[in-house]
Amino acid sequence: MKKIIYSLLFFCLLGNINAQQTPANKQTTAFSIEGATAHLGNGKVIENSLIIFNEGKITFVGSAMMKIARQGNIINAKGKHIYPGFIAANATLGLVEIDAVKASDDQREIGIMNPHIRSLIAYNAESKVVESMRPNGVLMAQVTPRGGTLSGTSSIVQLDAWNWEDASIKTDDAIHMNWPTSFTSGRWWLGEDPALKPDKNYSKNINKIISYFSDAKNYLAGDKSPKNLPFEATKGLFNGNTKLYLHASGEKEITDAITEMKKLGINNLVVVHGVGAENISEILVSNNVPVILDRPHRNPDSDDDAYDYTYTIAKILTDKGILVGLGMEGQMERMNSRNLPFYAGTFAAHGLDKEEAVKLITYNNAKILGIDSFVGTLEVGKDATLFISEGDALDMRTNIISKAFIQGRDVSLESHQTKLWKRYSNKYKSK
């Protein structure tokens, strides 16, 4: 019996040692950061800036040359850069810890139509992966479900919290739908032709979606008996309070998705992926539909695409007047979410203005996610969610974060990776 107790104590202690750091305490003293180059997130830059924040909110943004009293702790950031906290859109952070361990994988639910499934309650605030975001300036994320036709509902979190309730900064912001593709390929492993061919079931699949939303609309307009939770969850789509994220690529698919949803009275739309969106920009602009792009470090989807299509698409869409954000969906998306600023930097290296690239993961993502009233830019009255970098935060060589604040709280920049780096750096120094 004693052995069992000792074993349990050992594993409890081991778990405590390996747990995420304790979240930072609420801000109790003001901070004044002076001398840094401030990238406001709206395209503007202030050299030799002064940023003051207190009780979690920014109280002053301007030049350090102005005669204004500094408050609280004064941080000399001369030669450094200050940015709004970066926002990872369309990510599954906190929903999967280890891909090979099924019990830690909570990114999708069984079923096809799941608008009522809430990703937020599955969010693991103590994820080792989540804590590795902060050292690169990624301080917020849209936690998004996957799978099925209607995957479920996303929420937006800040990345230093005790639990999902503490983490949430916008609950149930959108429902996500995977639009069917008009082309299909054969299963080569069964000897079928792997070449792309028109999908004969494309129209049938669209009709299923239309039928589902029509039934939901009729249910909401009726006596709602018997109670239907999935239909109840779609209410915000029809009154405009909830956005519908259309995960779609291809000119035909995007056009069909927008057209059919508009017919149903669902007008608050966002296109995710958006391959081919540059060819139907008029439709997107006229319907005020933004696009969340995938990471640029991937191959073009079509043989007809330019070799650098995935690197230049942000500039192309921005020049056409489309509001563009940057999402994280793809291979190893949770781990790769820490590279969010470097993906934006890749767009900057291929034609997009540097401050426009910053906007992709600050103001633009905040605007698309509907949280721009309190985060996304360095402005008076907004949350003091920001960080100080030794250099250009979009360049992995100079993205060295010395301080980060979430809602004014001085958060830890330690992670499992930084601990290992320090450990083995000391090992080799001692020889």
Side-chain angles (χ1 to χ4, degrees):
M1 188 65 179
K2 286 184 179 179
K3 288 183 178 179
I4 294 174
I5 293 172
Y6 289 148
S7 296
L8 288 172
L9 286 171
F10 172 78
F11 284 113
C12 285
L13 288 171
L14 184 65
N16 288 333
I17 291 169
N18 289 324
Q20 189 189 39
Q21 310 94 352
T22 301
N25 293 323
K26 186 177 180 180
Q27 183 183 7
T28 57
T29 183
F31 281 89
S32 300
I33 304 173
E34 61 178 344
T37 298
H39 304 261
L40 303 188
N42 57 7
K44 297 179 181 179
V45 176
I46 300 177
E47 302 287 349
N48 190 21
S49 68
L50 174 63
I51 310 290
I52 303 175
F53 55 93
N54 193 14
E55 297 182 350
K57 296 292 183 180
I58 298 173
T59 58
F60 180 83
V61 177
S63 172
M65 301 299 290
M66 294 180 67
K67 293 182 178 180
I68 181 171
R70 277 53 171 167
Q71 298 176 16
N73 293 331
I74 300 173
I75 299 175
N76 183 358
K78 187 175 181 179
K80 299 181 181 182
H81 297 254
I82 185 168
Y83 295 84
F86 293 152
I87 307 164
N90 187 33
T92 51
L93 281 172
L95 298 183
V96 183
E97 193 66 8
I98 304 172
D99 289 302
V101 179
K102 189 174 182 180
S104 75
D105 188 335
D106 225 354
Q107 66 179 318
R108 65 183 63 208
E109 191 58 76
I110 295 172
I112 304 300
M113 300 295 189
N114 294 315
H116 59 305
I117 296 299
R118 303 174 67 222
S119 63
L120 181 62
I121 60 174
Y123 175 71
N124 176 18
E126 292 194 357
S127 167
K128 290 282 187 186
V129 183
V130 167
E131 74 175 17
S132 71
M133 302 296 119
R134 299 192 298 264
N136 280 0
V138 182
L139 306 182
M140 294 165 283
Q142 181 189 42
V143 181
T144 306
R146 301 280 184 248
T149 299
L150 286 173
S151 305
T153 304
S154 60
S155 290
I156 303 156
V157 298
Q158 52 86 6
L159 304 183
D160 182 63
W162 288 99
N163 48 45
W164 63 263
E165 292 99 330
D166 292 339
S168 179
I169 58 175
K170 186 170 185 179
T171 301
D172 301 334
D173 71 295
I175 292 174
H176 293 254
M177 179 167 67
N178 296 304
W179 192 259
T181 59
S182 60
F183 285 86
T184 185
S185 58
R187 297 166 293 182
W188 59 268
W189 59 92
L190 294 179
E192 298 174 355
D193 181 8
L196 284 174
K197 57 184 75 66
D199 187 349
K200 297 178 181 178
N201 294 318
Y202 178 63
S203 296
K204 185 187 297 184
N205 292 332
I206 292 177
N207 288 333
K208 288 179 181 178
I209 293 171
I210 295 171
S211 177
Y212 183 87
F213 279 122
S214 296
D215 290 344
K217 194 173 184 179
N218 291 333
Y219 165 85
L220 293 169
D223 61 6
K224 301 181 183 179
S225 179
K227 193 176 183 67
N228 187 309
L229 288 178
F231 286 170
E232 292 275 356
T234 66
K235 180 179 179 180
L237 297 179
F238 296 106
N239 63 26
N241 291 333
T242 303
K243 292 185 179 183
L244 179 63
Y245 281 59
L246 301 166
H247 293 240
S249 284
E251 298 168 43
K252 178 175 176 57
E253 286 85 346
I254 296 170
T255 302
D256 289 345
I258 293 173
T259 301
E260 295 301 335
M261 292 303 103
K262 288 281 185 177
K263 287 179 182 177
L264 288 163
I266 300 174
N267 299 306
N268 204 349
L269 305 171
V270 176
V271 168
V272 181
H273 311 312
V275 175
E278 69 280 6
N279 298 319
I280 52 169
S281 58
E282 301 85 1
I283 294 174
L284 295 167
V285 172
S286 63
N287 287 285
N288 195 28
V289 178
V291 175
I292 292 181
L293 293 173
D294 289 335
R295 295 170 284 172
H297 295 182
R298 56 189 173 84
N299 291 327
D301 290 350
S302 170
D303 291 340
D304 295 328
D305 289 334
Y307 73 93
D308 60 351
Y309 173 83
T310 62
Y311 298 147
T312 59
I313 185 60
K315 175 174 171 52
I316 292 170
L317 294 182
T318 299
D319 288 348
K320 290 179 178 289
I322 297 169
L323 181 63
V324 180
L326 178 55
M328 285 296 103
E329 188 170 354
Q331 291 184 337
M332 295 185 67
E333 64 180 85
R334 288 163 296 283
M335 297 71 164
N336 278 323
S337 292
R338 68 173 69 98
N339 293 323
L340 175 70
F342 312 137
Y343 297 134
T346 298
F347 287 130
H350 290 80
L352 188 65
D353 176 78
K354 178 62 70 70
E355 296 308 315
E356 285 294 325
V358 171
K359 285 175 66 176
L360 294 180
I361 53 178
T362 54
Y363 174 76
N364 288 10
N365 269 357
K367 179 76 173 176
I368 294 170
L369 301 183
I371 55 175
D372 57 301
S373 63
F374 58 93
V375 293
T377 55
L378 299 176
E379 293 183 72
V380 173
K382 290 194 175 183
D383 286 359
T385 300
L386 48 89
F387 65 89
I388 303 170
S389 174
E390 297 293 319
D392 181 358
L394 303 193
D395 188 334
M396 66 175 62
R397 298 167 298 181
T398 54
N399 177 302
I400 303 170
I401 312 302
S402 56
K403 277 286 187 183
F405 300 87
I406 295 178
Q407 297 166 336
R409 296 180 293 111
D410 189 354
V411 302
S412 170
L413 295 174
E414 286 294 317
S415 70
H416 186 60
Q417 286 82 0
T418 59
K419 289 174 183 176
L420 288 175
W421 170 67
K422 290 176 181 177
R423 176 184 177 186
Y424 286 103
S425 292
N426 291 329
K427 173 184 177 181
Y428 291 110
K429 284 178 183 177
S430 64
K431 289 188 176 181

